[in-house]
Amino acid sequence: MEKSSRLTLADYRAIHRLVGECRELGDDVTCWQQHLIEVLAGLTGGSIGFVGEMEGFRSKRPKHLSQAEWGWSCESDRAGYFAGFADYVRNPESYETERVCRRWFLVEDGISLSRTQLFDDRRWEATKEFQDIFRPLGARNALWCNRSIPGAAGDFSLGIHLMRAGRPRDFNARERAVVYETQAALAPLVGGPLAQVCDPSPAALPPQARRVLQCLLEGDGDKQIAARMKLSRYTVNQYMKVVFRHFRVRSRAELMARWIRRGWSVRSIP
């Protein structure tokens, strides 16, 4: 990776702020990933962006577990892109960027790569991905960044992909560094303060169960929760069972331990 000294103090502040905002949204994988790609596109001048969790990238069996997207100007562009993306998911090895990026990432985990670092114009225009995906969007340049998730049990990584539609200039060293530093700060948080795809989210609970969860985390007992919510203790107990099942815990102590381990706050409950 080129030296991150190309970043300004304002860049570092923006990255720090973005990581903090993602942590605030961290209990919901869709929310924090959506916010990440929207802000990151703004910081780098990307016109279309994607971020998601992937399994098996380094073992040549990539499986996309989640994907947040941003920047479509119209639904037809989006539909055309995903038609091509569906073919990529079925046949990733037929796409040259898949093979080339993997070689780079195996050498330096988390490296941020631009299109012109990987392909000259002539070679790029001959690729299947340019013809089937980029060209219909009027896009020539792109950025790829993939970083392993530390501590994950298996080949799991967080991938960021940005494209420039209708703009001739490729992503420069500063913009690549912004993505690199952001990714380096976020990847270690996935599975902790930042939820993974497989993690249960408070947002998936019914509204009343979320209120019970909030009361539990604030230290209220059954009687206090019933009074606060104007419910019977029996009804509160049923909602508690819903909460425990959702988070795969068996007691308040386990629930609190899980919450603390994740680094969440009561404020993160939607």
Side-chain angles (χ1 to χ4, degrees), residues 6 35 131-132 148 188 209-210 213 226:
R6 295 175 183 272
H35 183 71
Q131 293 296 330
D132 294 353
S148 298
R210 290 203 300 273
L213 170 62

Side-chain angles (χ1 to χ4, degrees), residues 26-48:
D27 68 289
D28 189 311
V29 65
T30 301
C31 286
W32 75 256
Q33 289 188 0
Q34 184 69 46
H35 183 71
L36 168 63
I37 197 59
E38 182 174 349
V39 175
L40 205 52
L43 292 175
T44 60
S47 54
I48 301 171

Side-chain angles (χ1 to χ4, degrees), residues 33-222:
Q33 289 188 0
Q34 184 69 46
H35 183 71
L36 168 63
I37 197 59
E38 182 174 349
V39 175
L40 205 52
L43 292 175
T44 60
S47 54
I48 301 171
F50 310 90
V51 63
E53 190 179 333
M54 186 185 298
E55 180 182 11
F57 178 75
R58 285 158 180 78
S59 59
K60 300 183 181 181
R61 294 185 298 273
K63 179 181 179 183
H64 293 263
L65 304 177
S66 68
Q67 180 161 283
E69 57 192 89
W70 179 87
W72 299 111
S73 59
C74 62
E75 184 57 33
S76 61
D77 280 353
R78 182 180 183 276
Y81 171 85
F82 278 102
F85 183 75
D87 181 67
Y88 160 75
V89 170
R90 290 190 297 268
N91 307 290
E93 286 300 305
S94 67
Y95 288 84
E96 196 166 358
T97 51
E98 175 77 17
R99 302 190 299 272
V100 173
C101 285
R102 185 185 294 113
R103 288 199 295 269
W104 281 77
F105 293 138
L106 288 174
V107 173
E108 183 180 343
D109 191 21
I111 190 171
S112 184
L113 300 165
S114 64
R115 191 277 295 179
T116 49
Q117 288 180 291
L118 302 180
F119 307 101
D120 61 31
D121 289 351
R122 185 174 180 179
R123 182 181 173 192
W124 174 238
E125 290 170 5
T127 64
K128 181 177 176 65
E129 42 269 61
F130 176 75
Q131 293 296 330
D132 294 353
I133 299 175
F134 282 76
R135 188 174 184 176
L137 292 173
R140 289 190 59 82
N141 295 307
L143 180 152
W144 296 268
C145 185
N146 188 284
R147 183 177 286 271
S148 298
I149 297 173
D155 179 9
F156 290 90
S157 57
L158 185 66
I160 293 172
H161 177 38
L162 293 163
M163 303 168 65
R164 279 206 168 122
R167 298 183 184 181
R169 183 177 68 81
D170 199 5
F171 292 87
N172 62 30
R174 176 202 153 269
E175 291 156 350
R176 297 195 301 272
V178 167
V179 175
Y180 177 89
E181 295 293 345
T182 303
Q183 181 79 303
L186 285 173
L189 304 179
V190 177
L194 301 180
Q196 287 185 267
V197 178
C198 59
D199 289 340
S201 166
L205 286 167
Q208 288 288 72
R210 290 203 300 273
R211 288 193 61 198
V212 168
L213 170 62
Q214 182 172 0
C215 292
L216 285 170
L217 295 172
E218 290 174 350
D220 290 344
D222 297 13

Side-chain angles (χ1 to χ4, degrees), residues 226 231-241:
L231 299 172
S232 70
R233 292 182 66 177
Y234 172 81
T235 302
V236 167
N237 186 260
Q238 296 307 303
Y239 280 126
M240 288 172 58
K241 289 179 181 178

